Amino acid sequence: MKIKETKECIRRRRRFRDGNLVAVLLAAAAIESRAAAGPVLVFVSNEKSGTVTVIDAETDRVVDTVTVGSRPRGVQASPDRRRVYVAVSDKSSPRNEAIVAIDAATRKIISRYPSGTDPEQFAVSPDGKTIVIANEDASAATVLDLASGRTTTLPVGTEPEGVGFTPNGQFAWVTAETSNNLSIVDIAARKVVGAVAVDQRPRVAAFARDGKKAFVSCEISSTIVVLDPDSRKQLARIEFAQPEKPEGIAFSPDQKQIYVATSHGNSVAIIDTETYKIEARVPVGHRPWGIAITPGGKLYTANGLSNDVSVLDAPQQRVIATIPAGEGPWGVAVAAP
């Protein structure tokens, strides 16, 4: 017996069919988008070799080595992850000191920008237009406009080390390892507008994506100081066990954890960003310093004394590969050409 469909049944069937079609098309578009995005690449600066090791994050194999110049340390990707910038320091020839720009797809050097003297670490603004550089031997920070190449030099704390941008791009925080403070640089005004005291030898300032917390690693005190970026008041103080000395910081993709390279501790500490508790420690190579994570949750540490890179499955909290690098691996950046 043939059953006649009501108009409402027909409308529901069509909505179901059309909804499935949309879902299929969206899934296909997502797959196509991922394929078009190309490989995720990891760039590791090698301080003593004067090179950058390039790793394919899918295979965890070295695919290239780029010679950049003397003493490369800080390494950062542009916001679109198509460029990688490297700070090159050469005290014997200051004219060679620069921020070197590498095209991530071709792995070729495409530009050299003025950096100020002895550039160590730096940060790229969220809009990709500005770089702020810590000039370690000059107690200064250089603000570089990438479009024009013009620079502004600002006085900051003694022996500046790390730089972090607030997510809105309004301020850059520059850590100073000898004066034990942070200088707050107003990017639009091109001036220092404040300073915040922290623990001994601050290294890295890393901001949560929502801008509500900043995590500052302090090497000698073996602590991480958590600050409110708006009030600049301390929210928490995370203590590490000796001989751990916190250095590089990376957030998990969901921002629920931070991963901290512990340097002398030869491990990565995993910390809950709400409770501030150290949940686990994962042993890695010798003297991990720089650290970075892929969108898929693979974590890479630059191990300065074992001359290699440890690869962690971050959710599983385990090392899944060890990759040879150059001599003195220092920093890590993730690109997606």
Side-chain angles (χ1 to χ4, degrees):
M1 180 177 66
K2 186 175 180 180
I3 300 175
K4 186 177 180 179
E5 288 185 292
T6 65
K7 290 183 179 180
E8 179 60 26
C9 288
I10 293 172
R11 281 196 295 269
R12 289 180 179 177
R13 179 164 53 82
R14 285 176 178 172
R15 283 199 300 269
F16 181 78
R17 179 197 64 197
D18 293 344
N20 281 347
L21 177 60
V22 170
V24 170
L25 291 174
L26 288 174
I31 293 170
E32 184 178 353
S33 176
R34 286 195 297 271
V40 174
L41 300 176
V42 179
F43 289 72
V44 180
S45 59
N46 301 302
E47 181 178 5
K48 296 179 181 179
S49 296
T51 61
V52 172
T53 298
V54 185
I55 299 166
D56 185 322
E58 182 176 355
T59 64
D60 286 328
R61 293 182 178 179
V62 175
V63 294
D64 210 342
T65 300
V66 183
T67 299
V68 292
S70 176
R71 205 182 181 198
R73 289 178 289 174
V75 55
Q76 301 288 339
S78 60
D80 63 8
R81 301 204 179 202
R82 294 181 179 179
R83 280 190 175 192
V84 173
Y85 299 100
V86 187
V88 176
S89 180
D90 186 352
K91 289 187 177 182
S92 65
S93 180
R95 288 181 300 177
N96 293 331
E97 295 185 317
I99 298 296
V100 175
I102 301 171
D103 181 273
T106 64
R107 279 98 75 178
K108 302 295 184 184
I109 293 175
I110 53 175
S111 297
R112 294 177 67 90
Y113 297 95
S115 64
T117 180
D118 194 23
E120 182 165 0
Q121 188 55 282
F122 61 93
V124 186
S125 63
D127 63 7
K129 296 179 179 180
T130 307
I131 290 179
V132 177
I133 307 149
N135 302 121
E136 185 179 21
D137 67 353
S139 297
T142 296
V143 183
L144 167 65
D145 179 86
L146 285 168
S148 66
R150 289 194 295 267
T151 60
T152 304
T153 301
L154 303 173
V156 293
T158 309
E159 287 192 273
E161 165 78 20
V163 184
F165 264 95
T166 55
N168 62 12
Q170 186 176 357
F171 299 104
W173 290 19
V174 183
T175 66
E177 61 183 5
T178 300
S179 54
N180 302 323
N181 66 356
L182 303 161
S183 295
I184 312 298
V185 177
D186 184 310
I187 298 303
R190 294 292 199 267
K191 67 178 182 180
V192 176
V193 294
V196 180
V198 289
D199 288 349
Q200 287 181 285
R201 207 165 190 174
R203 289 290 192 179
V204 171
F207 292 85
R209 192 161 46 225
D210 62 9
K212 294 181 178 179
K213 295 177 182 178
F215 294 79
V216 182
S217 60
C218 300
E219 179 185 10
I220 297 303
S221 60
S222 295
T223 59
I224 285 182
V225 175
V226 187
L227 299 171
D228 179 324
D230 292 328
S231 67
R232 298 165 192 170
K233 293 182 178 179
Q234 183 171 309
L235 299 175
R237 186 172 183 269
I238 304 167
E239 296 186 359
F240 288 71
Q242 291 295 334
E244 297 172 328
K245 298 187 182 300
E247 302 287 353
I249 299 172
F251 281 88
S252 62
D254 62 8
Q255 302 275 291
K256 292 182 178 180
Q257 296 168 315
I258 57 170
Y259 305 100
V260 181
T262 68
S263 184
H264 293 68
N266 301 324
S267 66
V268 169
I270 302 173
I271 300 172
D272 186 288
T273 55
E274 291 296 328
T275 66
Y276 310 122
K277 301 296 184 183
I278 298 177
E279 298 179 331
R281 293 173 170 87
V282 182
V284 292
H286 197 35
R287 203 63 62 83
W289 193 275
I291 190 170
I293 193 167
T294 68
K298 288 178 76 173
L299 194 73
Y300 293 78
T301 67
N303 306 319
L305 291 187
S306 52
N307 297 329
D308 56 24
V309 175
S310 295
V311 186
L312 282 72
D313 180 325
Q316 296 296 318
Q317 301 181 0
R318 63 187 182 92
V319 173
I320 57 175
T322 301
I323 306 167
E327 189 176 357
W330 198 95
V332 188
V334 174

